[in-house]
Coordinates of all heavy atoms in Angstrom, one line a residue:
E27 N 188.6 104.9 88.0 CA 189.4 105.0 86.7 C 188.6 105.6 85.6 O 189.0 106.4 84.8 CB 190.0 103.6 86.3 CG 191.1 103.2 87.2 CD 191.5 101.7 87.0 OE1 190.8 101.0 86.2 OE2 192.5 101.3 87.7
L28 N 187.3 105.2 85.6 CA 186.4 105.7 84.5 C 186.1 107.2 84.8 O 186.1 108.0 83.8 CB 185.1 104.9 84.5 CG 185.2 103.5 83.9 CD1 183.9 102.8 84.2 CD2 185.5 103.5 82.5
L29 N 186.0 107.6 86.0 CA 185.7 109.0 86.3 C 186.9 109.8 86.0 O 186.8 110.9 85.4 CB 185.4 109.2 87.8 CG 184.0 108.7 88.3 CD1 183.9 108.7 89.8 CD2 183.0 109.6 87.7
Q30 N 188.1 109.3 86.2 CA 189.4 110.0 85.8 C 189.5 110.2 84.3 O 189.8 111.2 83.8 CB 190.6 109.3 86.4 CG 190.7 109.5 87.9 CD 191.9 108.7 88.4 OE1 192.4 107.7 87.8 NE2 192.4 109.0 89.6
A31 N 189.1 109.1 83.6 CA 189.2 109.2 82.1 C 188.2 110.2 81.6 O 188.5 111.0 80.7 CB 188.9 107.8 81.6
N32 N 187.0 110.2 82.2 CA 186.0 111.2 81.8 C 186.4 112.6 82.1 O 186.1 113.5 81.2 CB 184.6 110.9 82.5 CG 183.9 109.7 81.8 OD1 184.1 109.4 80.7 ND2 183.0 109.1 82.6
A33 N 187.1 112.8 83.2 CA 187.5 114.1 83.5 C 188.6 114.6 82.5 O 188.6 115.7 82.1 CB 188.1 114.1 84.9
R34 N 189.5 113.7 82.1 CA 190.5 114.0 81.1 C 189.9 114.4 79.8 O 190.3 115.3 79.1 CB 191.5 112.9 81.0 CG 192.5 112.8 82.1 CD 193.7 111.8 81.8 NE 193.2 110.5 81.6 CZ 193.0 109.6 82.6 NH1 193.2 109.9 83.8 NH2 192.7 108.3 82.3
I35 N 188.9 113.6 79.4 CA 188.2 113.9 78.2 C 187.5 115.2 78.2 O 187.6 116.0 77.3 CB 187.2 112.8 77.8 CG1 188.0 111.5 77.5 CG2 186.3 113.2 76.7 CD1 187.1 110.2 77.4
G36 N 186.9 115.5 79.3 CA 186.2 116.8 79.5 C 187.1 117.9 79.4 O 186.8 119.0 78.8
L37 N 188.2 117.8 80.1 CA 189.2 118.9 80.1 C 189.8 119.1 78.7 O 190.0 120.2 78.2 CB 190.3 118.6 81.1 CG 190.0 118.8 82.5 CD1 191.1 118.4 83.4 CD2 189.5 120.2 82.8
G38 N 190.0 118.0 78.0 CA 190.5 118.1 76.6 C 189.5 118.8 75.7 O 189.8 119.6 74.9
L39 N 188.2 118.4 75.9 CA 187.2 119.1 75.0 C 187.1 120.6 75.4 O 186.9 121.4 74.5 CB 185.8 118.4 75.3 CG 185.7 117.0 74.7 CD1 184.4 116.4 75.2 CD2 185.7 117.1 73.2
L40 N 187.2 120.9 76.7 CA 187.1 122.3 77.1 C 188.3 123.0 76.4 O 188.1 124.1 75.9 CB 187.2 122.4 78.6 CG 187.2 123.8 79.2 CD1 186.0 124.6 78.7 CD2 187.4 123.8 80.7
A41 N 189.5 122.5 76.5 CA 190.6 123.1 75.9 C 190.5 123.3 74.4 O 190.8 124.4 73.9 CB 191.9 122.3 76.2
T42 N 189.9 122.4 73.7 CA 189.7 122.5 72.3 C 188.7 123.6 72.0 O 188.9 124.4 71.1 CB 189.1 121.1 71.7 OG1 190.1 120.1 72.0 CG2 188.9 121.2 70.2
V43 N 187.6 123.7 72.7 CA 186.6 124.7 72.5 C 187.2 126.1 72.8 O 187.0 127.0 72.0 CB 185.3 124.5 73.3 CG1 184.4 125.7 73.3 CG2 184.6 123.2 72.9

Side-chain angles (χ1 to χ4, degrees):
E27 290 169 353
L28 289 171
L29 286 170
Q30 288 175 339
N32 283 338
R34 284 191 298 273
I35 290 168
L37 288 174
L39 289 172
L40 176 60
T42 300
V43 171

